[in-house]
Amino acid sequence: MPGANYFSGSFTHRIDGKGRVSIPARFRALLEDQGESEMMVIPSYKDGVMEAFPRRVLEGIFERLEEKDPQSEEVEDLATYLFGGANTLSFDKDGRVVLSPELQEAIGVTDQVVFMGRADRFYMLSPERSKEVLEAARIRSREKHRGALAPRRRAPLVQVASLPDEDA
Amino acid sequence: MPGANYFSGSFTHRIDGKGRVSIPARFRALLEDQGESEMMVIPSYKDGVMEAFPRRVLEGIFERLEEKDPQSEEVEDLATYLFGGANTLSFDKDGRVVLSPELQEAIGVTDQVVFMGRADRFYMLSPERSKEVLEAARIRSREKHRGALAPRRRAPLVQVASLPDEDA
DNA sequence: TTTGATCCCATGTAGTGCCATGAGACCGGT
DNA sequence: ACCGGTCTCATGGCACTACATGGGATCAAA
């Protein structure tokens, strides 16, 4: 945990009768490092995937864009999408959040959720979908970024390869 | 709740026989944080949508424009639109407001209203319309802002002193 | 008196906090 | 290597509170 900067790894957790799920301890620790006891989830551009952010990351995205061009239709749409589509999930002392039936349905989960780290955020999706997403990303990465995992000449030990956004 | 700066999330509430609706608790808390026990409501540019602001946000919008261009016809029109078209809805101890028949008709609601957060304000609209608005915003955002949600190159999630900048 | 608005109270349910259990990881001692 | 102890963490259950919502009482204006 100490020094972890990014969400990484995949964890499958169980949803109980009330819709509660434990956030993976590592993810929770990362959120709490930033003084947040909540996260924001929003449907991804990818189908069947929810993205989870610390709140300030989401707000930062918005503020940065608004600063640039407050009136534009694009920023309007983005604000609607980000803030209208977002849910704030605050976790209790045990590190659990409640997934409303709508949220469960949105990502097609019933009794298990996968938390998949993805740098500054993480995904929440069904076990099946997570395999697809991971495998698709692996294949595309192999094709386009053969060298990504090779040692870099000047790279420090902890350097993380920055992969571009994959396509839906 | 602590520190929430923006309206976010969507909530569907029921209108009773007298036209009363509960403001979502989170939204109400945000309004009350600003010392307001009322909100201003005004028809949006978008059809079938009402926008709800804390009073000071509405006044701020006007003042900013007036400052920029005090005499223009645009500002005249805006002032008319903003102040003429606005309704003040104050909420009671239970956090409810009354939607007059005219307001209900304006957004085409009969027994349910959706409150949709949108940064410094929120929308009020029918359940059907809310799905349209949200989905349209999502699609357009995806097209125009592919990268908007992408991680920022130089901004690690948790700032760490010893990490070098990412460019080679 | 009627209508419309505001307030107050009642109730069910969903949300949240708190505690208990149990599995697994980790560690230290022998 | 074996064993016991402790710690972490996921998960379940129970209890309480907050909140949305309905109904009735009060009050004022028409």
Side-chain angles (χ1 to χ4, degrees):
Chain A
M1 264 136 252
N5 280 319
Y6 295 104
F7 298 103
S8 67
S10 291
F11 306 87
T12 305
H13 284 178
R14 161 163 268 286
I15 307 175
D16 72 14
K18 283 185 281 190
R20 292 178 304 179
V21 213
S22 292
I23 307 293
R26 294 181 179 194
F27 290 4
R28 197 190 326 150
L30 241 175
L31 290 166
E32 279 165 353
D33 279 352
Q34 302 168 67
E36 311 235 5
S37 63
E38 59 183 31
M39 61 192 206
M40 308 212 50
V41 298
I42 142 176
S44 171
Y45 294 147
K46 269 195 247 289
D47 279 343
V49 177
M50 299 275 309
E51 309 208 8
F53 303 86
R55 180 156 49 80
R56 73 168 50 149
V57 169
L58 197 66
E59 293 180 354
I61 290 169
F62 169 67
E63 282 163 5
R64 179 166 44 104
L65 274 167
E66 198 195 34
E67 208 172 284
K68 213 190 284 179
D69 190 0
Q71 318 276 354
S72 78
E73 197 175 301
E74 287 152 54
V75 173
E76 291 259 320
D77 283 334
L78 189 73
T80 302
Y81 164 57
L82 287 183
F83 289 95
N87 282 61
T88 301
L89 305 183
S90 43
F91 41 87
D92 59 30
K93 197 159 56 100
D94 301 324
R96 282 188 287 193
V97 295
V98 178
L99 289 187
S100 67
E102 298 81 49
L103 285 180
Q104 295 185 38
E105 199 181 339
I107 56 176
V109 297
T110 54
D111 64 334
Q112 296 204 121
V113 193
V114 174
F115 297 80
M116 183 186 290
R118 200 193 172 275
D120 67 342
R121 74 200 63 177
F122 56 89
Y123 291 158
M124 295 175 63
L125 28 53
S126 71
E128 307 81 49
R129 192 80 178 93
S130 83
K131 292 198 194 89
E132 293 170 15
V133 167
L134 210 51
E135 185 59 13
R138 190 178 81 96
I139 304 236
R140 280 195 295 266
S141 295
R142 181 174 53 197
E143 287 165 359
K144 299 186 186 166
H145 289 277
R146 271 199 166 285
L149 293 184
R152 315 242 255 124
R153 275 192 303 119
R154 293 167 196 264
L157 188 57
V158 292
Q159 186 66 39
V160 172
S162 78
L163 297 178
D165 225 342
E166 70 270 39
D167 282 273
Chain B
M1 322 150 218
N5 288 318
Y6 295 103
F7 297 100
S8 70
S10 293
F11 307 87
T12 305
H13 284 178
R14 166 168 279 282
I15 308 175
D16 70 13
K18 303 180 202 173
R20 293 178 302 180
V21 213
S22 293
I23 308 292
R26 290 183 178 175
F27 290 6
R28 199 188 324 151
L30 237 174
L31 289 166
E32 280 165 353
D33 278 353
Q34 303 173 45
E36 315 235 2
S37 63
E38 58 182 31
M39 61 195 205
M40 310 283 296
V41 163
I42 152 175
S44 169
Y45 296 140
K46 275 194 240 289
D47 279 345
V49 178
M50 299 277 307
E51 310 210 5
F53 306 85
R55 171 184 295 281
R56 69 155 62 144
V57 170
L58 190 65
E59 293 176 354
I61 290 171
F62 173 67
E63 281 161 12
R64 232 175 299 130
L65 268 167
E66 197 194 33
E67 203 173 287
K68 208 192 284 179
D69 192 357
Q71 319 277 355
S72 77
E73 198 176 303
E74 279 167 63
V75 172
E76 289 270 319
D77 285 339
L78 186 74
T80 304
Y81 163 57
L82 286 185
F83 294 101
N87 284 59
T88 300
L89 304 184
S90 46
F91 40 87
D92 60 28
K93 267 200 183 83
D94 300 326
R96 283 188 285 194
V97 295
V98 177
L99 287 188
S100 67
E102 297 79 46
L103 285 180
Q104 294 185 39
E105 200 180 337
I107 56 176
V109 297
T110 54
D111 64 333
Q112 296 203 120
V113 192
V114 175
F115 297 80
M116 182 187 291
R118 232 226 68 166
D120 64 347
R121 71 202 62 174
F122 58 90
Y123 291 158
M124 296 175 63
L125 28 52
S126 71
E128 308 82 47
R129 192 81 179 95
S130 81
K131 292 198 194 90
E132 293 170 14
V133 167
L134 206 52
E135 188 57 14
R138 188 172 94 106
I139 306 257
R140 282 198 294 265
S141 294
R142 177 169 56 194
E143 286 165 359
K144 296 183 185 168
H145 275 284
R146 263 217 134 284
L149 295 183
R152 317 243 262 123
R153 275 197 308 118
R154 292 172 194 263
L157 185 55
V158 174
Q159 197 70 43
V160 169
S162 60
L163 271 184
D165 249 319
E166 121 155 11
D167 51 354

